[in-house]
Amino acid sequence: IEAEDAEAFEGLTRELHPADVADLIGLLHEEDREALIGLLGGALPSEVLAELDEDILEDIVEAMEPEKVAEAVAELDTDDAAFVLEDLDEEKQAEILSLAPIEDRLALRAALDFEEESAGRLMQRDFLAAPEFWNVGQTVDHARSNAEELPDVFFEIYVIDPTFRVLGCVPLHKIMRTPRNVPLGEIMEENKVEIPEDMDQEEVAYLFQKYDLTSAPVIDESGRLTGMVTIDDVVDVIQEENRED
């Protein structure tokens, strides 16, 4: 940072996990963090932003160029993007959201409207759902042709009725082992849990631990599927509970 050598920073961190880069940034003095962001063109990689400690996240976002923050949150899953923006004042949030693509802007506004400690704030709005009469082949082909719309991490395909209510789920390991012509309705499993959007995050974490879940569908007040929560989304909540205990 003192040498103003951006290439050296990138070389030192290229092989590190984003969480480790975030830890290193957290160890810097405030003025060094701001200098680093300036050195990197007013930006940080989106995956590093999502891993930053919330105690320094707001200061770092404030130091970044608004356009760069908008680009970063557009690359993140909705829950991670909401985490980056949630503690900013309304004016700053509005400025950043105005620079994001319209689809991401609408999804983020919807996420930020939920209570901070609710499942709605925690959930991802990207998921894979299909009707029960689709077969395995149709489902796989649909996923491949719409790969850019899939979440980064998912474990199940949700089977839905025409009103978008969840009938069950098909774990990905079943998809991999089942012939293409088999309908999803024949291999789907019952969901252990359906999570209301307004459920407290601590209760969500409790259900994940109790039932050993890897993911669960999130439903609105009318029972329609609106998103999903994965174990990756609740791990921070679980860790915080363990620290408090």
Side-chain angles (χ1 to χ4, degrees):
I1 294 171
E2 290 177 358
E4 298 183 353
D5 191 342
E7 288 187 7
F9 172 81
E10 291 168 359
L12 288 167
T13 58
R14 187 176 296 120
E15 302 300 323
L16 295 180
H17 189 281
D20 294 322
V21 179
D23 284 344
L24 288 175
I25 292 172
L27 294 173
L28 296 173
H29 293 296
E30 182 178 354
E31 60 271 21
D32 288 328
R33 289 199 298 265
E34 292 181 2
L36 174 63
I37 291 168
L39 189 62
L40 299 177
L44 282 178
S46 58
E47 60 271 19
V48 173
L49 266 183
E51 297 288 351
L52 288 169
D53 190 288
E54 59 184 339
D55 292 337
I56 64 169
L57 180 58
E58 183 177 356
D59 290 339
I60 286 178
V61 172
E62 290 283 357
M64 292 173 61
E65 295 291 335
E67 297 85 356
K68 300 297 185 181
V69 182
E71 290 175 10
V73 297
E75 295 173 0
L76 293 170
D77 288 330
T78 312
D79 58 321
D80 288 331
F83 168 72
V84 170
L85 299 179
E86 63 187 2
D87 290 329
L88 301 178
D89 61 53
E90 291 185 7
E91 184 177 346
K92 189 69 173 180
Q93 276 187 10
E95 179 185 14
I96 293 168
L97 289 174
S98 70
L99 299 169
I102 182 65
E103 185 177 347
D104 298 293
R105 188 187 317 162
L106 293 174
L108 276 168
R109 287 193 187 280
L112 291 167
D113 282 342
F114 288 110
E115 292 292 330
E116 187 172 337
E117 299 299 325
S118 68
R121 184 68 72 86
L122 195 64
M123 74 177 178
Q124 300 182 40
R125 291 181 174 269
D126 295 326
F127 54 85
L128 183 55
E132 61 180 328
F133 57 82
W134 274 22
N135 62 34
V136 169
Q138 286 175 290
T139 307
V140 170
D141 292 343
H142 172 76
R144 287 174 176 164
S145 62
N146 295 275
E148 70 282 353
E149 298 177 11
L150 295 177
D152 291 337
V153 177
F154 67 104
F155 305 96
E156 299 167 330
I157 297 169
Y158 297 113
V159 183
I160 54 173
D161 69 10
T163 65
F164 236 73
R165 287 177 170 79
V166 184
L167 301 173
C169 66
V170 181
L172 293 184
H173 69 82
K174 271 196 174 182
I175 290 287
M176 297 297 292
R177 294 171 174 152
T178 305
R180 287 178 60 87
N181 63 343
V182 176
L184 298 181
E186 291 186 11
I187 58 173
M188 72 178 181
E189 302 176 357
E190 183 180 355
N191 287 301
K192 295 179 181 178
V193 170
E194 290 182 356
I195 297 174
E197 291 174 328
D198 59 357
M199 180 179 283
D200 186 89
Q201 291 180 6
E202 290 187 1
E203 186 167 352
V204 176
Y206 168 75
L207 292 175
F208 266 69
Q209 291 180 298
K210 179 178 180 179
Y211 295 110
D212 195 25
L213 302 175
T214 53
S215 66
V218 180
I219 56 174
D220 64 15
E221 59 185 10
S222 64
R224 297 176 71 252
L225 178 66
T226 58
M228 70 171 182
V229 175
T230 72
I231 187 64
D232 288 352
D233 301 320
V234 300
V235 66
D236 288 341
V237 180
I238 294 172
Q239 289 174 345
E240 182 62 29
E241 286 183 351
N242 290 339
R243 282 196 291 269
E244 289 176 358
D245 291 343

